[in-house]
Amino acid sequence: MTYNKGGDFVAIMKKKIYLSTLILTFIYIILSLSITVINISVNKGLLSGGMPGAKTMALMLSGIISSFMLIVAIMITVCSNANDWKASIGCQVFHLVQMLVGFVSTKSIRSLPGVLVIISGMCITILIRNYIMRLREDEVNLGKKAYTDLLTGLPNKRALQKKLNYLEAGNREFYLILLDINNFKEINDVFGHEKGDEILVFIADKWTALKTSENYQLYRIGGDRFAIIAETTNEIEAENLCGEAIVTLITEKNSLDAVISTSAGCVFYPKNTENISELLTYADTAMYKAKIAGKNQYRKFDSSMLTQIESQNNLSQEIKTALSKNKFHLVYQPVYYLGSHNLKGFEVLLRMEDAEGINISPEKFIKVAEKSSLIYEIDMWVIEHAIQETLPLFKEDADFSLTINISGKHITTPGFGDKIINLLNRYPSFPKEKLVFDVTESSYVQDIETAKKALDKLKFIGCKIALDDFGTGYSSLKYLAKFPIDYLKIDKAFIDKMNEDDFFVRMIITLGHLFGFGIIAEGVERQDQISALNHFSCEFVQGFIWGYPIPVSGIKELLSSQEIERIDTFF
């Protein structure tokens, strides 16, 4: 229905333009004939015996009509969007011929100004036509850019959505294949973003070469993600296409000699869903199943995967409810000075319960929230409530740091730093220098400049920055010097393996000290880990061995039982 309405609209507009051009052309001809009649009357002396000045008035009227004709001629070109510019030129040529015939027959130079006006009008018409045509070309080029990925030259996500809508309107059957490059971030981190772009172009070329018919179209829909629309009902053909896309990357040599692989998810319309808006979600779910299964393979969407989608949707709704009705709550895990066992501060941890009062794993609900804008609301909720809960303690001259985790997705959004500052300004008595914002390696690599600007703003007002899970990502060491980092946090995975191999822990501590960072070991649970970390000169620890997460009501009691060392001792 949408496309029929669109076609009717275009037809109506074309009809109106044609009718407008026809009317303007008719007006032009009538005016032209009017001037001819006036000129004949003047030349034959038909007006000489009448009212005084009639001849002069007739000539003035002729000039006015000529000027109006010029406007009409230009309007014909403009109203038709330069499509009927030849009609405008034709009308002016018709008038020019009339003027020249009059000039030849009467030998009067009174016609010459009119001739010059007509010639000028023709030149103006041609100039306007050329200008409109250039505008139309620019419009077409802009339209192409809007639907084209500038790096690879492939159609982009907007073009994909347009194609999906078109296929839906035509009740066409097709397969949508979503492809994601495995561990592409490693390529960007190791070789740089320019080389990463070269690989993306390489991948686009290789997958485009798989095209065997007009029923196949490749799209780049963002980052290292591609999509294929295969207009076929043959399941084997679609599966072969997935397999070829995967095998091509493994077997084809690239400029970096890097190992490239992909995972793919495949969904069939309308068998798997008749809702176009669900197709990408279903393909994405199937693709992640392929990643979980070991990557470098594909999965077809099936009804059993709906349970996972439904579960995520339900959890997303629970998160919205928790935000609107304050169903979240905070706990605070102590962080200690390793050497003295004195309390340094607390890391703020978010907890959420379902409708039955059962705790939901933060890893589970945060992962769902990060797929939408809910994570932004969660971050701001945590920051504000942590400030509200601990502000009374700081007003009593309590001295401890407060570490708050920030989503990697959030920190790279424009205006993040200003949003945090505006929030803190609502609590002027809260000591900003006690705040430590905890970010992960992956958070700033996605958009280095945006992340750096945000962190610089937070540092400027006195906040500190901790780099979480250091060593688990692939970021370059240059980022450690470039970003305003105060602490490195060693991931629990390295702490757990210290008995087998303590090389990475020693390396991180040594590296951190070279940059002047404080080192925080996470997830410390055994005395032998405490001894080793103390030997390696690690400054701070947090973990169950010295303290479990506690509610805000337990902070005052813990503070009173500790001899607090000032936070800036290390610095």
Side-chain angles (χ1 to χ4, degrees):
M1 292 299 293
T2 303
Y3 284 84
N4 290 335
K5 287 180 180 179
D8 292 342
F9 175 76
V10 171
I12 291 170
M13 289 304 297
K14 285 184 176 179
K15 190 178 292 185
K16 286 184 176 181
I17 291 172
Y18 175 76
L19 187 61
S20 300
T21 304
L22 195 63
I23 292 172
L24 289 170
T25 304
F26 179 73
I27 291 172
Y28 190 97
I29 293 172
I30 294 298
L31 293 173
S32 179
L33 291 174
S34 300
I35 289 180
T36 301
V37 171
I38 292 171
N39 287 337
I40 291 173
S41 300
V42 171
N43 292 332
K44 291 187 177 293
L46 298 177
L47 300 175
S48 58
M51 182 173 44
K55 184 175 181 180
T56 303
M57 290 179 63
L59 291 174
M60 287 177 62
L61 180 61
S62 176
I64 292 171
I65 293 175
S66 292
S67 299
F68 189 64
M69 288 173 63
L70 177 60
I71 295 172
V72 172
I74 293 172
M75 286 177 63
I76 292 173
T77 304
V78 173
C79 290
S80 66
N81 200 20
N83 290 324
D84 292 322
W85 69 280
K86 291 181 181 178
S88 175
I89 294 293
C91 289
Q92 293 179 80
V93 169
F94 172 74
H95 189 203
L96 180 62
V97 170
Q98 286 182 309
M99 297 291 287
L100 290 175
V101 168
F103 172 73
V104 172
S105 62
T106 61
K107 301 292 191 292
S108 172
I109 61 172
R110 284 197 301 267
S111 302
L112 285 179
V115 170
L116 294 176
V117 169
I118 295 171
I119 293 173
S120 299
M122 294 169 68
C123 293
I124 292 171
T125 299
I126 293 172
L127 288 173
I128 291 174
R129 179 261 177 190
N130 290 340
Y131 177 73
I132 291 175
M133 293 303 291
R134 281 200 299 272
L135 286 179
R136 288 168 65 178
E137 288 177 7
D138 290 342
E139 186 178 355
V140 170
N141 291 333
L142 286 173
K144 287 181 179 178
K145 286 182 179 179
Y147 290 96
T148 303
D149 174 58
L150 298 181
L151 176 64
T152 61
L154 292 173
N156 60 15
K157 189 173 183 178
R158 185 180 296 177
L160 173 65
Q161 192 59 56
K162 184 178 180 181
K163 181 68 172 180
L164 291 175
N165 292 337
Y166 171 77
L167 293 172
E168 179 188 34
N171 293 320
R172 306 277 284 275
E173 297 180 334
F174 61 92
Y175 280 90
L176 173 65
I177 302 168
L178 187 65
L179 304 117
D180 185 88
I181 311 304
N182 298 322
N183 304 320
F184 184 74
K185 180 179 172 295
E186 295 181 34
I187 294 176
N188 277 334
D189 293 340
V190 175
F191 298 103
H193 287 272
E194 287 187 11
K195 292 296 183 182
D197 288 345
E198 286 182 19
I199 292 297
L200 290 174
V201 173
F202 166 81
I203 292 170
D205 290 342
K206 294 304 175 185
W207 282 346
T208 300
L210 298 177
K211 185 173 182 177
T212 56
S213 70
E214 294 301 320
N215 294 332
Y216 167 102
Q217 180 59 59
L218 176 67
Y219 301 80
R220 183 188 176 213
I221 59 175
D224 58 353
R225 285 200 166 193
F226 295 79
I228 296 173
I229 287 182
E231 295 183 56
T232 178
T233 59
N234 190 323
E235 185 176 3
I236 296 176
E237 185 179 340
E239 290 184 7
N240 288 340
L241 189 56
C242 290
E244 288 177 15
I246 292 169
V247 171
T248 297
L249 294 192
I250 299 173
T251 57
E252 293 284 350
K253 185 177 180 180
N254 57 75
S255 60
L256 301 179
D257 285 332
V259 178
I260 307 174
S261 65
T262 186
S263 300
C266 183
V267 60
F268 181 56
Y269 177 87
K271 179 182 177 181
N272 294 133
T273 177
E274 294 183 357
N275 189 342
I276 286 292
S277 62
E278 294 177 340
L279 276 177
L280 277 173
T281 301
Y282 286 11
D284 186 69
T285 301
M287 183 267 292
Y288 271 107
K289 286 287 185 182
K291 283 184 176 290
I292 292 170
K295 302 180 180 180
N296 202 33
Q297 53 190 287
Y298 71 90
R299 285 290 183 271
K300 294 183 295 181
F301 183 84
D302 60 65
S303 57
S304 65
M305 297 179 187
L306 286 172
T307 305
Q308 179 183 345
I309 295 174
E310 185 178 353
S311 175
Q312 289 182 349
N313 290 338
N314 291 339
L315 184 52
S316 180
Q317 189 57 49
E318 287 188 55
I319 294 170
K320 291 177 183 178
T321 302
L323 283 166
S324 62
K325 298 184 177 181
N326 279 331
K327 291 293 183 73
F328 287 120
H329 66 275
L330 302 177
V331 292
Y332 300 80
Q333 182 169 34
V335 180
Y336 290 92
Y337 287 90
L338 178 55
S340 63
H341 196 172
N342 285 334
L343 184 65
K344 175 190 184 296
F346 300 90
E347 179 173 357
V348 182
L349 302 175
L350 182 64
R351 296 292 182 259
M352 174 183 172
E353 295 178 352
D354 62 16
E356 298 176 357
I358 301 172
N359 278 327
I360 300 173
S361 166
E363 184 178 349
K364 185 177 180 181
F365 70 77
I366 291 296
K367 187 175 182 180
V368 170
E370 285 189 325
K371 290 185 177 181
S372 67
S373 60
L374 288 172
I375 193 63
Y376 307 148
E377 297 180 59
I378 288 176
D379 279 351
M380 302 309 291
W381 190 96
V382 170
I383 296 170
E384 183 156 25
H385 281 75
I387 291 173
Q388 290 174 349
E389 290 182 1
T390 58
L391 185 55
L393 295 170
F394 284 114
K395 287 183 177 179
E396 296 177 4
D397 295 326
D399 190 6
F400 60 91
S401 66
L402 199 63
T403 301
I404 300 176
N405 292 279
I406 298 296
S407 162
K409 182 179 179 181
H410 199 177
I411 197 173
T412 53
T413 57
F416 166 76
D418 293 329
K419 189 161 58 172
I420 299 297
I421 291 171
N422 290 336
L423 173 60
L424 292 174
N425 287 339
R426 298 209 298 268
Y427 302 91
S429 58
F430 186 86
K432 300 179 181 65
E433 67 277 6
K434 304 298 184 184
L435 271 180
V436 181
F437 286 103
D438 200 335
V439 299
T440 59
E441 284 187 81
S442 59
S443 66
Y444 57 74
V445 172
Q446 303 301 322
D447 188 342
I448 296 169
E449 292 306 319
T450 301
K452 186 179 185 305
K453 287 178 182 178
L455 297 181
D456 283 341
K457 287 184 177 181
L458 296 178
K459 281 284 290 184
F460 182 76
I461 63 172
C463 301
K464 291 183 171 59
I465 308 298
L467 183 59
D468 201 0
D469 299 339
F470 183 74
T472 60
Y474 302 90
S475 57
S476 170
L477 291 179
K478 67 181 180 181
Y479 299 141
L480 293 181
K482 186 175 183 178
F483 281 80
I485 299 168
D486 298 288
Y487 302 99
L488 291 186
K489 301 183 78 173
I490 306 175
D491 186 67
K492 185 179 185 299
F494 292 119
I495 301 298
D496 289 342
K497 295 178 181 177
M498 283 179 63
N499 281 345
E500 303 169 15
D501 186 359
D502 58 16
F503 170 76
F504 283 106
V505 172
R506 287 189 288 110
M507 181 192 70
I508 293 170
I509 293 173
T510 302
L511 185 64
H513 288 164
L514 287 173
F515 280 97
F517 304 148
I519 309 298
I520 303 173
E522 295 184 294
V524 181
E525 298 176 352
R526 302 193 311 268
Q527 184 57 46
D528 61 311
Q529 294 171 341
I530 290 286
S531 301
L533 289 167
N534 194 30
H535 178 69
F536 300 148
S537 301
C538 177
E539 288 81 29
F540 313 105
V541 297
Q542 67 181 86
F544 294 161
I545 189 170
W546 281 356
Y548 285 85
I550 58 176
V552 69
S553 59
I555 293 180
K556 189 172 184 178
E557 181 180 347
L558 185 59
L559 287 171
S560 63
S561 65
Q562 287 282 326
E563 179 184 352
I564 306 302
E565 208 174 303
R566 295 194 63 81
I567 295 172
D568 55 358
T569 298
F570 179 75
F571 302 101

